């Protein structure tokens, strides 16, 4: 995976303000002229171009649409031209980071070929990050069906694209996900870095309330410095204190204390437990 941009080249996620599912000319124009938008996401399928009077081209090509839609007034060729072109005729357009959400494996090669032509322009005017996004793994509810995006082919095509030049490598990044069936969310465990979780639990409130059987799994990686007691006590102390103390106990009873301390920072939370921990902690304050 080191063929692509290093993390130091990636845009700061705090500064990304997205226009999602930008799959028409009007939506793309609005996003490109909106000074508050810094990144554009759009879906790509093999489909047909439909013009202003609803005439449909017989040519099958990558178009910007989300299944089950396969008609669009915005082909990928037009999309990438509008998003990357500068000059007097596009003076109101502002370049944005792009996230290309591939919905079908047949779209990958022609889209990367078009993107290659953009990167080869002599004026080198487009300097934003391009995220190559696809759901290439089977998640809950999709374990036994065939995925639209074949992981091996997608990775191979993208890595081949990255090897074409330094610009190809530095301006592209993988954005990989998995397919799920929303009816199968009861057994989902969300893995979250414990250090990030300690900063704020509130972003998870809505999903944990809507899907009460989902758990959070807090983790730290081997080699990370331990989470300080001050950090544990300052944010939702009772909840995080619970698994922190378990880690200390595990490490004390282990011959390999370093391994235990780093690898055992794991606790599954239930929403009721979270609420209880917060309320108890607030009372102490």
């Amino acid at each position: 995976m080191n063929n692509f941009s290093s993390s130091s080249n990636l845009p700061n996620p705090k500064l990304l303000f997205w226009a999602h599912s930008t799959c028409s000319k009007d939506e793309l124009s609005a996003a490109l002229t909106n000074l508050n938008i810094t990144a554009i996401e759009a879906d790509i399928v093999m489909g047909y171009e439909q013009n202003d009077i609803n005439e449909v081209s017989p040519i099958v090509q990558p178009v910007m649409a989300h299944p089950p839609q396969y008609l669009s007034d915005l082909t990928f060729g037009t999309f990438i031209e509008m998003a990357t072109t500068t000059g007097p005729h596009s003076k109101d357009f502002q370049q944005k980071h792009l996230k290309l959400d591939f919905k079908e494996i047949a779209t990958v090669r022609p889209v990367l070929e078009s993107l290659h032509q953009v990167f080869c322009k002599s004026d080198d005017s487009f300097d934003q990050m391009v995220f190559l996004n696809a759901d290439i793994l089977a998640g809950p509810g999709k374990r036994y069906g065939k995925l639209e995006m074949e992981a091996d082919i997608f990775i191979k095509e993208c890595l081949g694209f990255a090897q074409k030049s330094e610009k190809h490598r530095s301006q592209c990044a993988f954005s990989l996900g998995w397919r799920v069936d929303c009816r199968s969310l009861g057994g989902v465990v969300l893995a979250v870095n414990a250090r990030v979780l300690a900063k704020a639990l509130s972003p998870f409130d809505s999903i944990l309330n809507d899907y009460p059987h989902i758990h959070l799994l807090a983790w730290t990686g081997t080699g990370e410095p331990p989470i300080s007691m001050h950090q544990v006590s300052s944010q939702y102390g009772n909840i995080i204190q619970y698994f922190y103390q378990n880690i200390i106990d595990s490490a004390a009873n282990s011959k390999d204390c370093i391994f235990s301390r780093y690898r055992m920072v794991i606790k599954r939370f239930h929403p009721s437990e979270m609420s209880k921990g917060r309320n108890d902690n607030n009372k102490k304050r």
Side-chain angles (χ1 to χ4, degrees), residues 226-271:
I227 300 176
S228 68
M229 183 61 73
H230 172 74
Q231 185 178 10
V232 170
S233 301
S234 61
Q235 292 287 339
Y236 305 101
N238 283 18
I239 299 170
I240 299 177
Q241 177 76 37
Y242 184 91
F243 74 71
Y244 184 91
Q245 190 58 53
N246 283 352
I247 307 319
I248 301 302
D249 294 343
S250 297
N253 295 327
S254 171
K255 295 180 180 179
D256 188 356
C257 295
I258 298 298
F259 179 83
S260 296
R261 183 160 185 151
Y262 290 154
R263 297 291 291 179
M264 294 294 291
V265 185
I266 292 176
K267 169 76 171 90
R268 292 183 179 182
F269 298 113
H270 189 276

Side-chain angles (χ1 to χ4, degrees), residues 3-17:
N3 298 71
F4 271 158
S5 177
S6 67
S7 58
S8 61
N9 292 334
L10 296 176
N12 186 338
K14 294 181 180 180
L15 302 179
L16 294 181
F17 297 92

Side-chain angles (χ1 to χ4, degrees), residues 48-58 71-73:
Y48 303 91
E49 182 181 12
Q50 185 175 37
N51 64 21
D52 295 338
I53 57 175
N54 294 326
E55 293 177 336
V56 177
S57 168
L71 298 179
S72 176
D73 69 346

Side-chain angles (χ1 to χ4, degrees), residues 50-178:
Q50 185 175 37
N51 64 21
D52 295 338
I53 57 175
N54 294 326
E55 293 177 336
V56 177
S57 168
I59 301 173
V60 180
Q61 60 182 312
V63 299
M64 315 313 289
H66 190 288
Q69 295 296 322
Y70 292 92
L71 298 179
S72 176
D73 69 346
L74 184 59
T75 66
F76 177 75
T78 301
F79 173 91
I80 200 65
E81 181 180 4
M82 291 175 63
T84 61
T85 301
T86 58
H89 62 289
S90 58
K91 61 182 179 180
D92 293 331
F93 288 174
Q94 305 291 321
Q95 289 190 356
K96 318 287 185 179
H97 301 295
L98 304 177
K99 181 179 179 180
L100 308 179
D101 190 348
F102 296 89
K103 295 301 184 183
E104 297 176 348
I105 197 66
T107 63
V108 178
R109 181 169 293 181
V111 164
L112 293 181
E113 288 175 353
S114 297
L115 193 58
H116 171 66
Q117 297 302 318
V118 170
F119 283 176
C120 288
K121 285 183 178 179
S122 58
D123 59 6
D124 202 32
S125 58
F126 182 70
D127 59 358
Q128 303 299 296
M129 184 62 65
V130 178
F131 296 94
L132 304 178
N133 172 247
D135 294 336
I136 62 172
L137 299 176
K142 294 290 184 178
R143 303 289 189 194
Y144 305 106
K146 182 179 179 180
L147 294 175
E148 292 83 354
M149 298 299 299
E150 298 178 53
D152 292 345
I153 297 176
F154 182 74
I155 296 295
K156 181 180 179 179
E157 292 284 352
C158 291
L159 291 182
F161 173 81
Q163 293 171 0
K164 292 182 181 294
S165 76
E166 177 59 32
K167 183 177 179 66
H168 290 64
R169 287 188 290 275
S170 63
Q171 282 188 233
C172 286
F174 274 125
S175 173
L176 305 178
W178 54 90

